[in-house]
Amino acid sequence: IVLNEFKNVKVSLFNTLGSEVATIFSGNLEQGSHNLNFETANLPAGAYIIALQANGTRLTKSFIVTK
């Protein structure tokens, strides 16, 4: 995550039905580059959506967990 200013950030993981599976991060981040790690070993195989919300902006990406 690269932020151009201090922001309140929430990163969440959703299944394809739209249910929130996990909150990966929720809090304030300073300006700059940040790395977040999330372990997928406990997730069932399938498609997921990761959503980043920061001060009213929402970005989403999909990914697949394979076993």
Side-chain angles (χ1 to χ4, degrees):
I1 301 170
V2 178
L3 301 174
N4 59 359
E5 62 186 8
F6 177 88
K7 291 189 179 190
N8 184 275
V9 174
K10 182 176 181 185
V11 180
S12 303
L13 184 68
F14 296 88
N15 63 22
T16 54
L17 299 175
S19 298
E20 186 171 346
V21 175
T23 297
I24 298 169
F25 178 83
S26 182
N28 296 317
L29 290 175
E30 298 288 335
Q31 176 182 352
S33 180
H34 305 275
N35 292 316
L36 299 174
N37 295 313
F38 181 73
E39 182 60 53
T40 60
N42 295 329
L43 294 175
Y48 294 88
I49 298 164
I50 190 164
L52 176 133
Q53 295 175 307
N55 291 7
T57 300
R58 182 176 175 139
L59 302 172
T60 60
K61 293 286 182 183
S62 59
F63 69 98
I64 296 175
V65 174
T66 58
K67 300 287 178 168

